[in-house]
Amino acid sequence: MSLQEILNHRRAVRHFDPAKPIDETTVKKCIELASLAPTSSNLQLWEAYHVTDKQVLEQLVPACLDQKTARSAQQIVVFVTRQDRYKQHAKAVLDFEEGNVRRNSPAERQDKRIKDKAMYYGKLIPFTYSRCLGLWGLVRKGLAQCIGLFRPMTRQMSESDVRVSVHKSCALVAQTFMLAMSEAGYDTCPLEGFDSWRVKKALKLSYNTEINMVITCGIRVPSGVWGERFRLPLEETYHKV
């Protein structure tokens, strides 16, 4: 399918056909494709929980407020954020980028580029993503406002700002997954209505995880999508500057 066909096919499906199972391997492949989505600083602070076990699916139904899309889902994929793993991921990216620079940069620029990346992933990222009851965020935000008086500066540096950034990156991954599923001929529905505590309990997730999105999966019945698609007129959302 073309991108336009994929986008037209993708709808929030509220009722899946129980007689049409979907292939676990294909769904896993779609999650793998979703990992190609961009994330802030390439930290990839997300995980996907691919639920196929019938008992766990049943536990997720009340956690998803008993919505029909959850009751009829063949499989469910839950995307979570893992801001707590910023140190491990920053080190992994830095280790990769050192080799990347050696392989692809001119010899005379390699040391400088490696030094810059070491500063970014070894110093700046830990400073930006660390948490301490909001205190580090206040320090970062204060510094950003002061520096911003003299030059352009990223100002969203509080702990809540960084948390939003992590969730935005995870949402890009979730959207890419849904488009990959559409290309495979499968249907999805992203849920905002769920009890995050009960979802975490059903999946046995650690305290440090946060639920970004619950995505039900299957193949739609004819009535699985209600009516025509509504979008605001483009002139209300498009602004040429």
Side-chain angles (χ1 to χ4, degrees):
M1 289 193 286
S2 68
L3 177 60
Q4 183 172 348
E5 290 171 331
I6 290 170
L7 293 171
N8 284 328
H9 173 266
R10 191 217 60 78
R11 298 289 301 272
V13 174
R14 302 295 177 176
H15 189 188
F16 299 105
D17 192 333
K20 295 181 178 179
I22 58 177
D23 179 57
E24 293 180 19
T25 303
T26 301
V27 176
K28 182 179 179 181
K29 180 62 178 179
C30 290
I31 296 172
E32 182 181 1
L33 290 172
S35 71
L36 298 176
T39 59
S40 182
S41 298
N42 199 24
L43 287 177
Q44 304 169 62
L45 297 173
W46 64 274
E47 292 177 349
Y49 287 80
H50 180 191
V51 184
T52 61
D53 184 272
K54 294 299 182 183
Q55 290 185 336
V56 181
L57 287 169
E58 290 175 0
Q59 292 176 44
L60 287 176
V61 171
C64 293
L65 312 184
D66 202 37
Q67 296 181 70
K68 182 179 287 187
T69 187
R71 283 188 276 117
S72 62
Q74 293 284 335
Q75 300 173 33
I76 293 177
V77 178
V78 180
F79 286 91
V80 306
T81 62
R82 294 304 306 262
Q83 187 174 338
D84 59 309
R85 294 190 172 174
Y86 67 89
K87 289 183 180 179
Q88 301 98 303
H89 288 206
K91 183 180 184 304
V93 175
L94 178 58
D95 290 344
F96 172 82
E97 288 298 341
E98 287 179 350
N100 198 20
V101 169
R102 296 295 184 194
R103 291 188 296 271
N104 297 294
S105 293
E108 66 274 12
R109 297 184 181 180
Q110 290 181 5
D111 290 343
K112 173 65 166 55
R113 290 180 176 177
I114 289 175
K115 182 179 178 181
D116 289 345
K117 291 186 180 298
M119 176 61 70
Y120 186 78
Y121 286 102
K123 302 293 184 182
L124 183 59
I125 289 297
F127 176 68
T128 302
Y129 283 81
S130 60
R131 288 175 167 175
C132 183
L133 302 175
L135 298 178
W136 268 125
L138 290 175
V139 172
R140 292 194 300 261
K141 197 169 185 67
L143 285 173
Q145 298 302 321
C146 292
I147 295 171
L149 294 173
F150 305 99
R151 65 178 178 82
M153 174 68 190
T154 300
R155 297 173 187 268
Q156 287 69 42
M157 296 292 287
S158 71
E159 291 188 18
S160 60
D161 289 333
V162 175
R163 176 176 174 268
V164 167
S165 177
V166 173
H167 274 275
K168 286 194 295 184
S169 289
C170 187
L172 290 173
V173 177
Q175 172 69 358
T176 304
F177 166 72
M178 289 188 287
L179 295 180
M181 287 284 282
S182 183
E183 195 275 336
Y186 291 163
D187 294 302
T188 56
C189 184
L191 303 184
E192 288 285 359
F194 56 81
D195 183 324
S196 59
W197 181 80
R198 284 179 166 80
V199 172
K200 291 173 71 170
K201 183 179 179 182
L203 299 179
K204 298 180 173 59
L205 300 181
S206 71
Y207 172 80
N208 291 320
T209 60
E210 292 187 1
I211 308 299
N212 176 265
M213 204 169 295
V214 177
I215 300 180
T216 55
C217 308
I219 296 175
R220 72 186 76 177
V221 297
S223 60
V225 176
W226 170 249
E228 300 172 1
R229 174 182 269 156
F230 167 75
R231 288 295 183 270
L232 291 169
L234 186 61
E235 55 267 23
E236 292 190 25
T237 56
Y238 172 74
H239 306 281
K240 184 176 181 180
V241 181

